[in-house]
Amino acid sequence: IQLTQSPSLLSASVGDRVTLSCKGSQNINNYLAWYQQKLGEAPKLLIYNTNSLQTGIPSRFSGSGSGTDYTLTISSLQPEDVATYFCYQYNNGLTFGSGTKLEIK
Amino acid sequence: QVQLQQSGAELVKPGSSVKISCKASGYTFTSYDMHWIKQQPGNGLEWIGWIYPGNGNTKYNQKFNGKATLTADKSSSTAYMQLSSLTSEDSAVYFCARDWELGYFDFWGPGTMVTVSS
């Protein structure tokens, strides 16, 4: 399954509601996770099984979707959210999206 | 607390092999799959394969068959990945990451940079 993320680059202001998209080439059956990777660091799990928040992750992060289309939402963008975000599917094989780089305007 | 400690950066020559390590602590090593993921500079993430240290079972991304070999030492709670016949395309950061057989990775190591250059 190939994953297409959009946009590839997103610039937003602190406090904005931000939405990142991930589209699969086939049905993902909700086996989708989101990772945050800050510069020079390992990826960090934010969301698994489409909408389950990993322990310790702020509640401003949420996930939704079904079928082939999934979304990561940050309800109020914070400066520390600057990172690249990857979606990842584990329904059929294990594949990552190409990432959305999120920066502060 | 859970820690995955990876070995240091490697500078290796084309055609050679390299073996990198991932030492686990803070959890039962034999109860989780250990995956390896490749990240080339400026690029996305690519799954290489996994090993189940409990019995040594492995599974590979077809693309890395013959390139990567995964092993694990239960006595030292350390997972290893050997990469062979190295080319410039193997220059990347390699991460280990654990998975409780749920399919996703809940904790990652800091990564090991491998540079292939003559």
Side-chain angles (χ1 to χ4, degrees), chain B:
Chain B
Q1 73 280 22
V2 174
Q3 283 195 329
L4 297 176
Q5 185 178 347
Q6 294 190 233
S7 49
E10 300 270 6
L11 173 60
V12 292
K13 295 193 182 309
S16 68
S17 298
V18 68
K19 190 171 186 177
I20 60 180
S21 65
C22 172
K23 182 172 175 59
S25 60
Y27 73 97
T28 303
F29 179 63
T30 51
S31 296
Y32 287 75
D33 293 337
M34 189 69 80
H35 294 249
W36 291 86
I37 296 107
K38 175 182 181 182
Q39 186 170 40
Q40 290 180 294
N43 286 6
L45 299 154
E46 197 169 18
W47 174 73
I48 296 170
W50 59 255
I51 184 166
Y52 182 63
N55 58 17
N57 282 354
T58 56
K59 183 170 183 177
Y60 295 90
N61 180 338
Q62 273 194 312
K63 178 178 176 180
F64 293 92
N65 270 328
K67 170 63 67 178
T69 302
L70 305 183
T71 56
D73 177 4
K74 288 189 282 189
S75 67
S76 63
S77 296
T78 303
Y80 298 92
M81 178 174 68
Q82 179 161 321
L83 299 169
S84 60
S85 303
L86 292 165
T87 72
S88 58
E89 285 301 303
D90 298 315
S91 293
V93 176
Y94 292 89
F95 296 98
C96 59
R98 74 168 198 177
D99 161 23
W100 198 24
E101 299 191 16
L102 298 174
Y104 57 87
F105 322 119
D106 67 342
F107 200 84
W108 297 57
T112 295
M113 180 174 289
V114 174
T115 303
V116 182
S117 175
S118 54

Side-chain angles (χ1 to χ4, degrees), chain A residues 45-99:
Chain A
L45 177 65
L46 302 176
I47 300 284
Y48 60 93
N49 295 346
T50 296
N51 56 17
S52 296
L53 191 68
Q54 174 68 348
T55 302
I57 300 302
S59 59
R60 66 179 179 274
F61 291 93
S62 64
S64 63
S66 63
T68 60
D69 295 314
Y70 297 82
T71 299
L72 174 70
T73 299
I74 307 173
S75 60
S76 178
L77 186 65
Q78 300 301 303
E80 61 266 31
D81 299 335
V82 168
T84 299
Y85 293 82
F86 294 96
C87 59
Y88 160 76
Q89 72 80 26
Y90 42 105
N91 178 57
N92 184 355
L94 304 176
T95 52
F96 293 89
S98 55

